[in-house]
Amino acid sequence: MTSAYAIEAKNLYKVFGKNPQAVIDGLKAGKSRDELAGTAAVIDASFTVAPGEIFVVMGLSGSGKSTLIRMLNGLHDATSGSITVNGDPVTDISPTALRALRRDRISMVFQHFALLPHRTVAANVAYSLELKGVAKAERLAKAEEVLSLVGLAGWGDKLPSELSGGMQQRVGIARALAADSDILLMDEAFSALDPLIRREMQEQLLELQQKLQKTIVFITHDLNEAMFLGDRIAVMRDGRIVQIGTPEDILTDPANDYVEQFVQDVDRARVLTASNVMERPRPVVAESAGPRTALRQMRDAYMSAVYVTGRDRTLLGVVSDRDAVKLIRKGETSLRSVLKPVPQSVREDEVLMNLFVPAVESLLPLAVTDAEGRLVGVIPRITLLAALGPGPNATEEITLPPQPVSQAVIDEVLAEAGDAVAGAANDNEGVR
């Protein structure tokens, strides 16, 4: 049986204690879990995980996230509901089938490493292959290959006690990778590490994911970690999933007050991208436009320059107000001769923390382009600052006056207009 999803969970419940079905019936009838005799750790959880996705489950202690991940590989039986892996059931299968699932298809990385202290690093990494009956030489060769992948080449003959915490967690990841499972379950895998090592491990996980494209379910209570790692995030509270979405969805459109409070202190500069905050491109004119059209766009936008694009919206350059006036005085109708390169532009997937310097150096609202170099939006400096502001509960808006066209240019345009009026008057006198 095949499925579009690597993992699919439907209406999962996990109740500890006596008479769990009575607890489920009470929950379905609208009672809170505090009113019921058993402990409802997971309540009506449904979600899917796509192949190659990092799906993060986030919540505070007691939210049910660790219980949920242990249900995915059968360490906890589901009281009710169903789980499938690539379309094959995980719930209600035989012990033999469950062992095969853990051995061949799902690997787990634990918070406290769970290494065998009497075995070398290489032997720990090769342990899953040993359980599969792989020959010793082959499994040790595989172990060295995977250790190199996680940055531990040459450490295979050491004991776990000789390694730092961060290095031991790399061994745990290497052991999971050596099993060559399609799915990795990571339960608070980095929470025991100090902040600097933790960030390093997060970055290395993303680097590995670029190469290996595993399906990863990652459990954390740390919001910034969830935002940094997750393709999508499920937020849990009191056993229930209260919102599932991309990091941007969670941050910019929280489902309720709980999620809103949860995300209020997140480092937005590392989560939001240019595409999340950009505005409609302006001022902008087509390559075929003339200098008068360019000046009109500048006037309407209160800017002293304008972006110029090709027919396919490819960003070609900028034209300043002074150069447009010079073209008018010369009687030219094309902008090509004064077109200058765009001094600063950014890709739409660039995170906000990398936009500050380009925004400061850009005379116009910062140009945002797609992968083909087409202009898809602009980011005024004030918009960039507001995006990092006090959040959805803010009651005050920050406003700045628009950048005006310089007085010198205004004088030049007025003089040009005066000359044109005088010329028209002379023509009328001649007609009379």
Side-chain angles (χ1 to χ4, degrees):
M1 185 176 183
T2 59
S3 171
Y5 303 115
I7 299 173
E8 184 172 13
K10 293 182 179 179
N11 308 113
L12 286 181
Y13 287 82
K14 179 58 183 177
V15 178
F16 296 98
K18 297 180 180 180
N19 200 359
Q21 189 56 51
V23 175
I24 294 176
D25 292 341
L27 291 167
K28 290 182 177 180
K31 293 183 178 181
S32 71
R33 66 177 187 173
D34 294 334
E35 297 178 77
L36 301 167
T39 301
V42 175
I43 303 171
D44 197 22
S46 297
F47 60 91
T48 58
V49 184
E53 180 179 25
I54 299 182
F55 185 80
V56 175
V57 182
M58 179 185 71
L60 300 176
S61 297
S63 62
K65 59 188 186 301
S66 290
T67 301
L68 179 63
I69 198 173
R70 283 168 166 76
M71 295 169 71
L72 300 182
N73 66 352
L75 289 176
H76 287 320
D77 294 328
T79 306
S80 180
S82 66
I83 302 168
T84 60
V85 171
N86 294 323
D88 298 328
V90 173
T91 46
D92 300 322
I93 60 175
S94 69
T96 301
L98 191 56
R99 284 194 296 271
L101 177 82
R102 295 172 186 160
R103 183 184 66 235
D104 301 328
R105 304 175 71 179
I106 299 179
S107 298
M108 193 159 188
V109 181
F110 298 91
Q111 176 180 356
H112 295 292
F113 320 140
L115 303 180
L116 302 172
H118 60 286
R119 286 179 173 241
T120 65
V121 166
N124 266 281
V125 172
Y127 185 64
S128 60
L129 299 176
E130 183 179 342
L131 295 178
K132 293 181 178 182
V134 177
K136 184 176 181 179
E138 182 180 347
R139 66 179 185 252
L140 289 179
K142 179 67 173 180
E144 290 297 337
E145 175 188 334
V146 178
L147 283 171
S148 179
L149 193 62
V150 300
L152 289 178
W155 289 84
D157 60 347
K158 305 293 185 182
L159 291 173
S161 59
E162 299 177 78
L163 276 60
S164 68
M167 295 171 77
Q168 289 184 49
Q169 192 57 287
R170 291 173 194 260
V171 177
I173 294 174
R175 180 177 55 191
L177 294 176
D180 205 24
S181 306
D182 292 331
I183 298 172
L184 297 183
L185 307 181
M186 305 184 73
D187 187 11
E188 298 274 12
F190 304 148
S191 63
L193 306 175
D194 68 66
L196 290 178
I197 299 300
R198 184 172 187 167
R199 186 66 178 189
E200 182 182 332
M201 292 299 298
Q202 293 166 3
E203 291 172 350
Q204 182 167 48
L205 179 62
L206 292 181
E207 289 175 8
L208 288 171
Q209 181 67 350
Q210 287 286 333
K211 300 174 185 176
L212 303 177
Q213 290 297 300
K214 299 290 186 181
T215 301
I216 299 174
V217 179
F218 193 99
I219 302 296
T220 183
H221 64 270
D222 185 294
L223 180 60
N224 282 311
E225 182 170 69
M227 293 284 181
F228 184 69
L229 293 176
D231 295 313
R232 287 187 303 138
I233 298 170
V235 182
M236 292 193 72
R237 183 189 188 189
D238 297 335
R240 298 181 185 273
I241 295 176
V242 296
Q243 185 171 3
I244 296 177
T246 66
E248 292 83 2
D249 293 336
I250 301 294
L251 187 58
T252 61
D253 190 21
N256 54 34
D257 291 343
Y258 174 78
V259 179
E260 185 175 308
Q261 291 171 6
F262 211 94
V263 303
Q264 65 182 356
D265 294 325
V266 73
D267 186 353
R268 291 168 174 258
R270 295 182 180 273
V271 177
L272 296 178
T273 63
S275 64
N276 297 133
V277 301
M278 68 186 184
E279 301 177 0
R280 180 177 61 85
R282 70 183 186 91
V284 57
V285 296
E287 181 184 17
S288 58
R292 295 183 185 276
T293 300
L295 273 177
R296 186 180 301 112
Q297 289 291 332
M298 291 182 233
R299 179 199 64 196
D300 292 345
Y302 296 95
M303 294 293 171
S304 57
V306 65
Y307 287 119
V308 180
T309 61
R311 289 186 177 180
D312 59 354
R313 294 187 295 114
T314 301
L315 184 57
L316 301 178
V318 295
V319 169
S320 72
D321 49 7
R322 290 180 178 276
D323 286 338
V325 168
K326 290 176 182 177
L327 291 177
I328 292 173
R329 286 180 170 175
K330 293 177 181 178
E332 296 187 20
T333 59
S334 172
L335 298 171
R336 291 187 182 88
S337 63
V338 295
L339 193 63
K340 293 182 173 61
V342 177
Q344 295 288 343
S345 66
V346 296
R347 287 278 296 274
E348 58 186 335
D349 57 355
E350 192 69 69
V351 293
L352 297 193
M353 66 176 296
N354 295 332
L355 304 188
F356 294 106
V357 172
V360 168
E361 294 178 348
S362 178
L363 296 176
L364 285 166
L366 187 61
V368 182
T369 61
D370 62 13
E372 285 74 42
R374 293 174 298 199
L375 183 66
V376 293
V378 296
I379 304 176
R381 280 195 290 270
I382 188 58
T383 300
L384 180 59
L385 294 173
L388 303 175
N393 287 327
T395 57
E396 298 181 3
E397 291 187 5
I398 305 172
T399 57
L400 289 179
Q403 178 184 347
V405 177
S406 67
Q407 186 61 48
V409 171
I410 292 175
D411 292 341
E412 288 181 287
V413 174
L414 289 175
E416 178 71 19
D419 293 342
V421 171
N426 291 333
D427 290 343
N428 290 336
E429 286 294 330
V431 170
R432 289 176 188 173

